[in-house]
């Protein structure tokens, strides 16, 4: 028989009523709190960036730096920021899950803090695939010029960036082949 805390319907983590003390030492709790603060700051920044970019999505800016011009696409930045919001949301969820289940450790901090950036980058890549028509299936995102469906999909790409990583590996293997086949 499995212990009570392994059942999905039991959210007590195996604790008795009134057992509220943390099982983590103070040093670990400080590190968890620091990580939570950083992730919340990342969430606020990415949501703010997405909001600003959504407001400017129809604008394109070119900046001259004395030589070649730098072109800024707010549509592209919106996709990156909303993908990052998805990645931050996933990282926060994973932080909460790992702390509550006693699986938190410092060695995964890089993963939790880099996931939002990876989510934003993957969102840009996947949206570029859709926009280019490289995917043979037609979706509502590929058929519309509106930013809202693209931003919603970008959030999902960021949230599920681990799965998207595997999908992109499969696409690359199909296009370029694998080392075993060469």
């Amino acid at each position: 028989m499995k212990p009570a805390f392994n059942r999905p319907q039991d959210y007590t983590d195996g604790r008795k009523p009134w057992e509220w003390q943390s099982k983590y030492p103070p040093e670990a709790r400080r590190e968890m709190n620091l990580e939570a603060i950083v992730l919340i700051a990342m969430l606020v920044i990415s949501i703010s960036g997405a909001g600003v970019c959504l407001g400017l999505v129809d604008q394109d800016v070119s900046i001259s730096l004395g030589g070649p011009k730098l072109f800024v696409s707010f549509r592209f930045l919106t996709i990156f920021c909303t993908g990052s919001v998805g990645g931050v949301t996933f990282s926060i969820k994973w932080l909460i899950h790992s702390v509550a289940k006693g699986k938190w450790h410092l060695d995964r901090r890089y993963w939790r803090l880099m996931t939002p950036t990876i989510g934003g980058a993957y969102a840009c890549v996947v949206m570029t695939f859709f926009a280019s028509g490289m995917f043979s299936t037609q979706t509502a995102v590929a058929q519309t010029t509106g930013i809202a469906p693209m931003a919603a999909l970008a959030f999902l790409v960021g949230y599920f960036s681990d799965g998207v990583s595997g999908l992109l590996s499969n696409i690359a293997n199909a296009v370029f082949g694998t080392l075993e086949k060469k």
Side-chain angles (χ1 to χ4, degrees):
M1 181 172 187
K2 290 184 178 181
F5 59 86
N6 283 337
R7 292 192 324 246
Q9 66 272 19
D10 183 10
Y11 297 105
T12 66
D13 297 328
R15 296 175 186 236
K16 295 181 173 86
W18 309 108
E19 189 180 322
W20 61 270
Q21 294 87 358
S22 176
K23 294 181 180 182
Y24 288 100
E27 181 184 5
R29 289 196 312 271
R30 276 192 301 277
E31 293 296 328
M32 290 174 204
N33 290 338
L34 174 64
E35 194 170 315
I37 290 167
V38 169
L39 286 172
I40 289 169
M42 290 172 76
L43 182 63
V44 169
I45 291 167
S46 58
I47 287 174
S48 299
V52 167
C53 291
L54 275 168
L56 298 171
V57 76
D58 293 328
Q59 308 283 327
D60 287 322
V61 177
S62 62
I63 301 168
S64 178
L65 302 173
K69 289 187 176 183
L70 176 67
F71 179 73
V72 178
S73 169
F74 288 105
R75 179 176 290 268
F76 190 75
L77 289 174
T78 299
I79 298 304
F80 178 82
C81 289
T82 53
S84 295
V85 170
V88 173
T89 304
F90 180 81
S91 289
I92 291 171
K93 184 192 89 160
W94 188 255
L95 175 64
I96 292 167
H97 170 82
S98 63
V99 169
K101 298 295 182 182
K103 296 179 180 181
W104 182 90
H105 56 80
L106 202 52
D107 297 336
R108 289 195 185 214
R109 177 174 281 171
Y110 289 114
W111 177 77
R112 289 184 296 265
L113 295 181
M114 296 299 169
T115 294
T117 305
I118 293 168
Y122 283 174
C124 292
V125 170
V126 170
M127 292 301 105
T128 302
F129 277 134
F130 277 125
S132 70
M134 288 183 70
F135 289 150
S136 61
T137 58
Q138 291 297 316
T139 66
V141 174
Q143 295 170 353
T144 184
T145 58
I147 191 68
M150 291 177 74
L153 186 57
F155 173 87
L156 291 174
V157 169
Y159 191 87
F160 295 106
S161 60
D162 282 351
V164 171
S165 179
L167 172 68
L168 292 174
S169 291
N170 290 342
I171 292 170
N173 289 338
V175 172
F176 303 115
T178 61
L179 291 177
E180 293 83 32
K181 291 181 181 177
K182 294 191 180 225

